[in-house]
Amino acid sequence: HLRDLSHAPDCDVLVCGDDPEARETVIGLAGDMGLRAWHAGPIANAAAAEALTSVLIAINMRYKVPGAGIRITGLPDAGGPARRDGDATPRH
């Protein structure tokens, strides 16, 4: 599933880190890959984000799907990869 480059991921990326500029760089790289990425706060939040992995694995196994994921809803979206610091201006 993840090795199939023609398959577009249907989930978001949560980016945690204590350096806002580094988070912005990672979000930009994710956007360059066609992914939606969001500032998810300090590195301390990474443990909670990573803990979702076991939940997703359980969902994949229970429902026999290859890749359940997380989608952030309720935030403005410019229709594609964009800055996720509150600015809906698309990144190019």
Side-chain angles (χ1 to χ4, degrees), residues 6-71:
S6 67
H7 175 78
D10 187 25
C11 60
D12 291 342
V13 177
L14 302 176
V15 181
C16 300
D18 293 333
D19 182 337
E21 288 182 30
R23 283 195 320 255
E24 188 64 37
T25 298
V26 172
I27 287 170
L29 291 170
D32 290 346
M33 295 177 357
L35 302 171
R36 291 182 354 145
W38 304 90
H39 287 277
I43 196 69
N45 289 354
E50 289 297 325
L52 291 171
T53 301
S54 62
V55 173
L56 294 173
I57 289 170
I59 290 169
N60 288 339
M61 291 172 52
R62 170 67 174 91
Y63 296 99
K64 298 181 180 21
V65 296
I70 299 295
R71 172 73 67 193

